Amino acid sequence: MPKPKPPADAGDPARLQRAQALAAQLHCNSCHNLDFSGKENVPRIANQREDYLAKTLAEYKDNSRHGYDGSMADVMQPVTPEQIADLAYYIARLR
């Protein structure tokens, strides 16, 4: 499938900055790469649809979605719903 089209707007700078700091704190780039392009069995999440990202991250948090191991569930446990929304907003706008 072709990559999804990124949102038309560049995004709210404050919200993007918050999410970027959170992604660094959670070490998202250690598995998803610096550009969130993914590698091996880790998916590309850059430019993915915002609603899909938010749903998936919430499912990892509540343990209703399972990956190859429990690392995503562990990473997502301390993340609040507001932070999940910011992460999805940020990752959907990565170009």
Side-chain angles (χ1 to χ4, degrees), residues 24-42:
Q25 176 188 337
L26 296 173
H27 307 287
C28 299
N29 63 1
S30 65
C31 294
H32 291 280
N33 286 333
L34 289 173
D35 62 356
F36 295 84
S37 63
K39 59 184 172 187
E40 298 167 15
N41 66 342
V42 178

Side-chain angles (χ1 to χ4, degrees), residues 28-78:
C28 299
N29 63 1
S30 65
C31 294
H32 291 280
N33 286 333
L34 289 173
D35 62 356
F36 295 84
S37 63
K39 59 184 172 187
E40 298 167 15
N41 66 342
V42 178
R44 174 191 55 81
I45 55 176
N47 291 331
Q48 189 57 264
R49 284 187 358 250
E50 185 176 343
D51 61 330
Y52 172 78
L53 290 164
K55 178 182 182 298
T56 302
L57 291 171
E59 288 171 348
Y60 278 123
K61 180 177 175 60
D62 72 15
N63 218 12
S64 64
R65 183 181 191 105
H66 304 284
Y68 291 102
D69 59 28
S71 57
M72 279 300 296
D74 291 341
V75 167
M76 294 306 298
Q77 281 314 300

